[in-house]
């Protein structure tokens, strides 16, 4: 990746120590209602961030760690609360107070022009997807959702709607603030991914009012209410569709093909031997009940050298042309990066995403998930920026 040269100060602001200091600065602004606390709230939040940044497998392992130079100098810790103190204090933190750190990191990357190459057709590609990160048949809190099994057992679980800036050419992803999927205070019904997406879009637009984005999601999101939410939030979209779930749309696609009212381009990759055909059709109804929700249809067929086909289909509000159809299709396929490079990394590359570090009675599980995502975000920034740091001499 070629990174434009910016000021050395911008580069310094992306060093891991600078990002941790940025988090500390935000933590200092969070209100703390406790009287004469032994440990300040910023110290406890920094201890939680250090837990995930150092990839300790449990709070007990973190407690056994020597209070070394990293903890003292980088994270500013002169002492550590016990595991029970950490859980008790973090349980009362409103996770919304952690959201600004994600925005601050994004702003720093923009200032250093690191994200210039992450645009596709003028937009940042934002992948949205839900993920479960806690489940137990014993431990639960008022915000847990419930799942009843055939044998009468009940599972209690937490999910979140994850969001990340992705690009087909780069493995590093940029995590954005997530949206919890959980029961509201006093609620009796499970939350759902669609409601979480509506909340996420509203918050995102408050935090990034003018950012041009292309939201990519799987076929479960290709419904009229969600498309209207995307339009209200002024977000472009590229959503997977399946013939089995969108019979009315695909009937119109077939009719247009019979009328030869479509466009197509083909290309071959001499390096891999892959052949690709891109077909697109403009101005189709998404479904029979919402004829006013109009979309453009994109179909990619990829043939291996032995002739084995693979297919992808999407709907979008973007104007599709021969000049941008390949990049749009690649952006659609890059949606997998939120699963492979985000959720799978959190689960399998040392972050222990599915380990129960603590559940609490209020917000602990959600706060810990936010702190883990921040540690992951800081690591991803370092992955994005090695050439940048070399150029700046930092």
């Amino acid at each position: 990746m070629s990174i434009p040269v910016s000021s050395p100060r911008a580069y310094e602001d992306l060093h891991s120590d600078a990002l941790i200091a940025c988090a500390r600065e935000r933590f200092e602004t969070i209100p703390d209602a406790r009287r004469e606390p032994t440990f300040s709230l910023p110290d406890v939040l920094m201890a939680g961030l250090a837990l995930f940044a150092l990839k300790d497998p449990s709070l007990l392992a973190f407690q056994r760690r020597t209070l070394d130079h990293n903890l003292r100098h980088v994270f500013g810790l002169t002492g550590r609360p016990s595991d029970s103190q950490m859980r008790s204090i973090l349980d009362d933190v409103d996770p919304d107070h952690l959201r600004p750190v994600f925005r601050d990191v994004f702003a720093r990357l923009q200032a250093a022009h690191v994200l210039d190459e992450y645009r596709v057709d003028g937009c940042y590609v934002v992948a949205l997807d839900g993920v479960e990160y806690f489940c137990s048949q014993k431990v639960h809190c008022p915000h847990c959702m419930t799942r009843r099994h055939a044998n009468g057992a009940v599972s209690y679980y937490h999910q979140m709607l994850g969001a990340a800036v992705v690009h087909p050419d780069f493995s590093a992803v940029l995590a954005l603030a997530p949206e919890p999927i959980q029961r509201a205070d006093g609620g009796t019904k499970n939350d759902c991914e669609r409601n979480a997406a509506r909340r996420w879009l509203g918050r995102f637009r408050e935090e990034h009012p003018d950012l041009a984005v292309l939201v990519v999601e799987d076929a479960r999101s290709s419904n009229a209410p969600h498309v209207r939410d995307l339009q209200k939030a002024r977000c472009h979209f590229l959503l997977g569709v399946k013939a089995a779930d969108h019979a009315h749309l695909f009937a119109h696609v077939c009719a247009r093909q019979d009328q030869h009212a479509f466009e197509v381009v083909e290309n071959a990759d001499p390096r891999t031997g892959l052949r690709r055909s891109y077909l697109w059709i403009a101005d189709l109804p998404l479904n029979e009940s919402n004829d006013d929700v109009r979309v453009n249809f994109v179909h990619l067929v990829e043939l291996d050298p032995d002739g084995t086909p693979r297919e992808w289909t999407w709907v979008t509000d973007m104007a599709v042309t021969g000049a941008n159809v390949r990049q749009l299709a690649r952006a659609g396929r890059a949606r997998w990066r939120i699963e492979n490079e985000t959720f799978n990394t959190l689960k399998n590359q040392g972050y222990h995403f599915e380990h129960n570090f603590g559940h609490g009675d209020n917000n602990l599980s959600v706060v810990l998930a936010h702190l883990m995502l921040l540690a992951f975000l800081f690591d991803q920034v370092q992955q994005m920026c090695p050439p940048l740091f070399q150029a700046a001499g930092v």
Side-chain angles (χ1 to χ4, degrees), residues 99 176 200-209 211 213 235:
R99 293 181 61 92
L176 302 174
W200 186 90
L201 287 166
R203 293 174 185 237
F204 173 80
R205 265 301 165 231
E206 290 178 1
E207 295 167 346
H208 303 278
L211 197 68
V213 295
C235 294

Side-chain angles (χ1 to χ4, degrees), residues 122-145:
C123 298
Y124 293 111
V125 180
V126 175
L128 296 180
D129 200 10
V131 63
E132 182 175 309
Y133 63 92
F134 169 84
C135 185
S136 172
Q137 292 192 0
K138 296 180 180 180
V139 179
H140 59 93
C141 72
H143 298 299
C144 278
M145 298 194 292

